[in-house]
Amino acid sequence: AARAEAVRAAIALACAVGSMQLAMNLAAGELTGDLDASFRWYFGCGALLLALPAGTWAVGPWWRALGRAVRHGRWSLDATAAVVVAVGLGASAMNLVRGSNATYADAVAMFCALLLVGRMALHRIQDRLAVQASHLGGILPDDAPAVDSEVVYVVGQRLGGDGVVLAAADGALDVAVLTGESRPQPVVIG
């Protein structure tokens, strides 16, 4: 799944860069006035065509999420993103059909790329945290020694839970698992 996610993000980034290049050439040509009218339309169409793989294949899971949202009435972030992509690509196509050179396809492709890269980074962080959390299982002891309904701990023993200190010698306990404190805390009665 991580590999497929990386391929989708890479395709979306490549489409975004290509589409933005054509859109920038179009904008520069309009500013300087040295771009022929027929070429303007081709640059706009090229930007839209380059953005299509990013807005269709690369974000395929978004389109499936939109279908589920429509069928089941449960909206999600992916369904919302699919609507944004549809509106952006649709508006770009309508403008080109009407003879306008205003295209939003490059922005749509970049939107897709940035969301896919962000999602990929989020999944990597979640996987790393899951591995770290799996190592926490052995930190706390399974039980605590009981003597006449009181729990007795000796120096170096792990504290299995919170409680009240009834008697103690001078010292400190490592209570990082319970409190988040990074240093051992002094032990006092009460």
Side-chain angles (χ1 to χ4, degrees), residues 7-170:
V7 169
R8 288 180 186 279
I11 295 294
L13 278 170
C15 290
V17 168
S19 183
M20 289 188 124
Q21 178 66 39
L22 289 175
M24 286 176 51
N25 287 338
L26 175 62
E30 287 182 355
L31 283 176
T32 59
D34 61 355
L35 187 61
D36 187 19
S38 63
F39 284 114
R40 289 180 189 157
W41 187 82
Y42 287 119
F43 275 97
C45 282
L48 178 61
L49 289 175
L50 279 174
L52 283 178
T56 56
W57 179 82
V59 295
W62 299 358
W63 294 108
R64 289 187 288 281
L66 179 60
R68 285 190 303 273
V70 169
R71 281 191 308 275
H72 302 295
R74 288 190 214 122
W75 216 243
S76 68
L77 180 62
D78 287 348
T80 305
V83 169
V84 169
V85 170
V87 168
L89 292 177
S92 294
M94 290 302 296
N95 282 345
L96 289 170
V97 168
R98 291 182 183 155
S100 171
N101 298 319
T103 179
Y104 314 107
D106 58 323
V108 170
M110 188 55 75
F111 172 76
C112 295
L114 290 176
L115 281 183
L116 289 171
V117 168
R119 173 112 10 118
M120 191 172 64
L122 177 66
H123 288 159
R124 285 192 180 180
I125 290 169
Q126 287 173 335
D127 290 345
R128 202 172 323 136
L129 289 175
V131 168
Q132 289 175 353
S134 70
H135 296 304
L136 293 176
I139 290 179
L140 290 176
D142 294 330
D143 59 0
V147 179
D148 296 329
S149 74
E150 294 179 359
V151 179
V152 178
Y153 285 91
V154 294
V155 174
Q157 190 174 359
R158 287 190 178 138
L159 187 60
D162 60 354
V164 178
V165 176
L166 300 174
D170 291 335

